[in-house]
Each structure stands twice: as structure tokens, then as C-alpha cells.
Amino acid sequence: MTTTATTSITATSRRRRRGGLAVAALATATLAITATGVTPAAAGGGDEVIRRGNCSGSADWKLKAKTDNGRIEVEGEVDSNRNGQTWKWRIRHNGNVSARGTRSTHAPSGSFSVTRRLVDASGTDSIGWRARNPASGQVCRGSLRF
Amino acid sequence: MPDPGSPPPPGARRADKVWHVVSNPVVQFLAAGLVALLVVLVASGWFSKRAATEEAVTDARATTQLLGRSVVETALTRGVVNGNAAAVDRFDREMIARVLVGDVLRVKIWRRDGTIIYSDETALIGQRFTLDKDEVAIIDHGGTAAEVSDLSKPENRFEQRFGRLLEVYSRVWDKGGQPLMFEAYFSYDDVSRRSAEVLHAFRPITVAGLLIFLAVTAPLVYVLARRLDAAAGVRERLLLAAVEASDVERRRIARDLHDGVVQDLAGTSFALSAAARDSSGGAESSARLEELAGGVRHSLRALRSLLVEIYPPELQTEGLAAAFDDLLAPCIAAGIAVDVHVAEHADVPPQVVALVWRVGQEAVRNAQRHGRPGRLAVIVSRPDGGIRLEVVDDGVGFDLGQTPPADHLGLRGLRDLARDAGGSLHVASTPGAGTRVTLEMKRS
């Protein structure tokens, strides 16, 4: 079982050095798409970074980060097109679990989303998103740098 | 010499009226009550503010200590202290949800070396500033401290938008047993609001109490003042009766002297003059008799002046002019230039004429005794149907601001008499420039 990699990035850099990182990420993502042939990702505007990808099953995931009054607002989403599925999720910040919980998909889209605010640590922040459906064993995993 | 024709200044009359109102004991009591009310308002405001400030600071200390122990210490893991991003995230959410509510506007957690390990203003996290001795002492020894924030300090630059703040420090411990300092910022508006609440709670009680006291005591003071006025009236009537009795007695003595001794002396003077003209006794005897007649006439003049002194002449029948002529005769004899002008006053009530006489008599006496004048004028005029007396001299004058000589006290008494009779008495004097006494009686 494999999870998809992110496929594109659109970001307005908060810091100049992030411009270089974005270019590097774009190149990496393009290579990943070419190598695995998985789902493309969407882009966002403004001071915002968005990643999209496919989970190990039929579900899709999305991870979005944007600045919010000195913090980073992170939104993780899973769309399985089935209502009532229970998923365990967690958000990692610089490698450690910042938040975790359990959510269920709901109508009309059969999806759920989680929003949390993270403290904007010095330097580039690494943010990870993981969701697992214990019933089916399906796993969604994505990350971004902000 | 002052202009005798000018009336007393209107400002002096206004001053008399103001003094009459100000000297009223009820007015004085109410004025004192209002002053006391103002003092109570100001003092209660000051004390309320102080009490409310102390109460608010005490509450802020207690709140900070409680939050530090129950929320901050519970969530303050080693990860937060070590700057673990995920741990700080969790701590941040805990602070926002449970500490930064209500009065608390900002929090900071300090290490002893001055590093801010956490603040809800995330730009401060990881920055280092110098801690005061008091703040270090709190980390070392515990306790709390409170003060108004100095927003000019660099660590407080993000708090300027909150306005005036009260910052409170308290010691907290992390999970590893390291002492840290928890700092919470409270809006000073809450202190002001609490002060206003305390003031609004107590001020009506204080003010109402004082107003009720004034309302209850003012009638009592009014009644007391009325009694005092009545007593003063009784005293005045007794005084007037005594004066009247004295007048009657003096009139009797004057009449007896005039009808007895004066007539006898006049007869003796005539007889001696007649005897002197009879030359049967020789020239030496005639000269001696003429000398005796002269002595008797001199005594007669002295006695008449004394009669004028001890009792006013029959003013209605002989008039003020004759009375003033007699009064001023000794002045003329002393070499003082005298002017007497008396307007027709047959229609003026006798008691007013008597008052004009008394004032004139007192003013002339004062001028003669103290003024050392070269000229002395007594003018009685009739402006607008009233009567005005002016006694003007060009003597040494005196300073009105200083206590007058004892003899001048008679004028003070006459001023009261003039006021009681519906008139006014004014004295104008300048050292070296003479004195002018003016009695003004309106038409009755």
C-alpha cells in the first residue's frame, strides 16, 4: 500500500528563502508525478500553501496552511465520498504531534476537515497531515513546508 | 478738599447688600454645608478609587496565581520549555482557551535568564530581555507582584494597542521542577470600572446622608437665627428706650439750664452792662463792671454751646441751620473757616432731621478733634426729595483700612442707625486729603 505524493505548489513566500524552497518543491513534485503517475494537486493564492493527494484507497486528502495573526492556520481534509466513516487523524509540527483526534465523514460530500492553529516557529515550519480509517486500513498522508 | 456734591459710589451700596446677605447665619450654614458636600464628594472619590484599585490589584494577583497553578503548570511540559513546536502549539491552544479569556489580555512565561519561552504574541517567543531584580526574586522566592506596565519597554511593545495595563507576576514550575515566571496583563480599564462601581455604590449614600443632614438642620438654624434676630431686636428696642430716656433727661436739664441759669446770667450781664454805663461810681468802677459783664457774657456763650452739646436744639422750630451755626461756633473761634449750607427741610420727618443732626454733630466733632482742618463745610441738600448731609474737611484724614480711633466708633453706630432708618452712611477719607462723611436718606 502506497500513498501519493504531492503534485504541485503555489505559494507566496513569507520569506525570501521560501521562494527557493518552493521552486525546489515544485521540481520534486513534478518528478514525483512523473514517477508515480498519481493524482495532481490544487493550488492556492495569497500567503497560503496547499497540498493535495490520494490516500491508499479511494479517498483524497488535502492539506492547507496559511498565516493567521502570527500563527499558521492548518486545515487537513479527507474526502472519501462515503458518509459515516470514522477516521483517526493527526497533525505534526516539525516532526512532533501537535494535534490529534477522531472525526467522521459526513454528508453531502462524504468528507471531513480539521482546522488547527499552530505557533509560527522560527525558520521554516514542517507540517504533516495523517488520517487513518481503522475499519478499512486506508491511510492518507501529506506534508508541506511553510 | 473732596467734592462735597458727589454722591456715594454705587459699588458701596452693592457691597452693603452683599454683606447683608453673606452675614445671614442661614446662608452661612448652607454655604458651609455645600463646601462640606464638595469635600465629601472629592474625598469619597479619592478613597473609592484607591480602594477599588487595591481591590482590583488584589483580584488580579489572585487570578494570576490561580491561573498559574491550575492551568499553566498543568500544561507546561518540558517540550514547551525546550521550544518543541508541537508542544508549544498544544500549550498555545490551552492558553487561548483557558487563560486568555475575560480580563487577561496577554501572557508571557519567562525563564530566569530573561528568555520568553511562551507568549500568545508569538513574535516574542524565544526573545530575551533583562529581568528586574523584583522579577528575578519572584522566580527565586515565589510570591506575586503587580505594577502598571511600562509600555516603552521593548518586551512590551506589542501591548501598546491595549492602552494602560496592569501586569502581574507569579512563579510557576514546569514538569521538570524548573522555576519560571508567569506574567499576565490585565486591562487597567477594569480597575477604573471597578473604581466607578465602588464610587457609584457609596456616593449616593454619602451625598444623600449629607443632604438629609442639611435639610434637617437648616430649619433649626433658621429658627435659631430668627430667635437671635428677635433677641437683637429686643436689645435694640431697649437701647432705643435708654437713649430716649437719656434724651428726655438731657432735654429736661437743658431746658432747666436755659430757662434758669442762662436767663439769670443774661439778666446779670445786662444789669452789669447797665451799671457800667452808669458813671456815678467812677471810671474805674465802670471799667470793672464792664469787665464783669464781659466775663458773664463769655460764660453765657460757653453755657449755650454746652446746651447744644448735651441736647440738640429744637430742630423743627429753629431748624438745622441754626443748630449747625451754634455747633460750629467753637470751630470759628478756633480759626477754622466754616461753610454751612442748609436747604429747606420743613417737610422732612422730625426723626430724620434728628438723625441728620446727630450725624452732623458726630462728624463735626470728629473733624474738630482729629482732623485738624483749615476748612470745614456742612451741606444739607435735597436730592430727589430725600435729604443728604455732607460734612467735608480738608484735615489730615485717615486710612479706612485701619482700625479707627475710639471716638470714631460713634460713626459706626450712626451707620447702623442710618441703615435701620432706610438710609446709608458713607465715610471717605485718605491720609493727608481730608474726610467726607455723607448721609443719604431717601424720600420717605
Side-chain angles (χ1 to χ4, degrees), chain A residues 70-71 93 96-98 119, chain B residues 84 89-90 92-93 120 122:
Chain A
R71 291 176 174 77
H93 188 189
N96 296 303
V97 177
S98 171
V119 173
Chain B
N84 180 297
D89 290 343
R90 291 193 297 273
D92 181 52
R93 287 194 285 271
D120 60 293
T122 56

Side-chain angles (χ1 to χ4, degrees), chain B residues 1-20:
Chain B
M1 191 165 182
D3 177 13
S6 59
R13 290 182 208 154
R14 279 200 302 273
D16 272 356
K17 287 180 184 173
V18 170
W19 174 249
H20 188 67

Side-chain angles (χ1 to χ4, degrees), chain B residues 220-291:
Chain B
L220 298 175
V221 172
Y222 176 73
V223 169
L224 193 61
R226 288 287 301 268
R227 286 183 183 175
L228 286 172
D229 280 348
V234 169
R235 275 201 309 276
E236 191 175 337
R237 283 194 294 277
L238 286 173
L239 184 63
L240 287 174
V243 169
E244 191 64 29
S246 172
D247 278 356
V248 168
E249 188 63 18
R250 290 164 73 162
R251 184 184 301 179
R252 188 187 64 74
I253 292 170
R255 189 182 301 118
D256 287 352
L257 286 172
H258 183 268
D259 296 346
V261 177
V262 169
Q263 299 307 323
D264 290 348
L265 285 174
T268 303
S269 167
F270 290 139
L272 286 171
S273 294
R277 285 194 294 274
D278 182 4
S279 57
S280 59
E284 186 180 349
S285 175
S286 292
R288 178 66 181 156
L289 287 171
E290 189 56 43
E291 186 183 345

Side-chain angles (χ1 to χ4, degrees), chain A residues 45-70:
Chain A
D47 202 1
E48 179 176 280
V49 177
I50 298 177
R51 296 281 188 277
R52 295 175 190 274
N54 300 122
C55 305
S56 58
S58 58
D60 300 324
W61 61 266
K62 185 175 83 172
L63 178 62
K64 185 169 77 177
K66 64 177 182 180
T67 54
D68 179 22
N69 195 25

Side-chain angles (χ1 to χ4, degrees), chain B residues 120-133:
Chain B
D120 60 293
E121 175 50 63
T122 56
L124 290 171
I125 295 176
Q127 293 197 27
R128 188 172 171 178
F129 304 94
T130 305
L131 288 179
D132 296 338
K133 284 181 183 175

Side-chain angles (χ1 to χ4, degrees), chain A:
Chain A
M1 188 170 63
T2 57
T3 57
T4 60
T6 49
T7 56
S8 72
I9 177 173
T10 301
T12 300
S13 177
R14 291 175 302 155
R15 307 171 186 101
R16 286 193 172 184
R17 67 174 181 268
R18 286 188 180 164
L21 289 172
V23 171
L26 182 62
T28 306
T30 303
L31 285 173
I33 291 168
T34 305
T36 60
V38 290
T39 312
D47 202 1
E48 179 176 280
V49 177
I50 298 177
R51 296 281 188 277
R52 295 175 190 274
N54 300 122
C55 305
S56 58
S58 58
D60 300 324
W61 61 266
K62 185 175 83 172
L63 178 62
K64 185 169 77 177
K66 64 177 182 180
T67 54
D68 179 22
N69 195 25
R71 291 176 174 77
I72 304 168
E73 184 181 285
V74 175
E75 181 184 349
E77 184 182 324
V78 170
D79 185 356
S80 66
N81 274 323
R82 289 185 184 176
N83 298 336
Q85 288 181 336
T86 299
W87 291 74
K88 289 187 174 180
W89 61 267
R90 68 188 181 205
I91 295 172
R92 285 180 176 271
H93 188 189
N94 289 352
N96 296 303
V97 177
S98 171
R100 70 171 80 209
T102 302
R103 295 292 294 272
S104 295
T105 54
H106 53 79
S109 59
S111 64
F112 78 89
S113 65
V114 174
T115 302
R116 290 292 183 272
R117 296 169 80 219
L118 314 184
V119 173
D120 191 356
S122 59
T124 302
D125 295 89
S126 163
I127 299 166
W129 165 243
R130 182 178 187 274
R132 187 173 71 89
N133 184 340
S136 65
Q138 190 175 189
V139 175
C140 308
R141 186 179 291 139
S143 65
L144 57 80
R145 295 175 72 81
F146 193 81

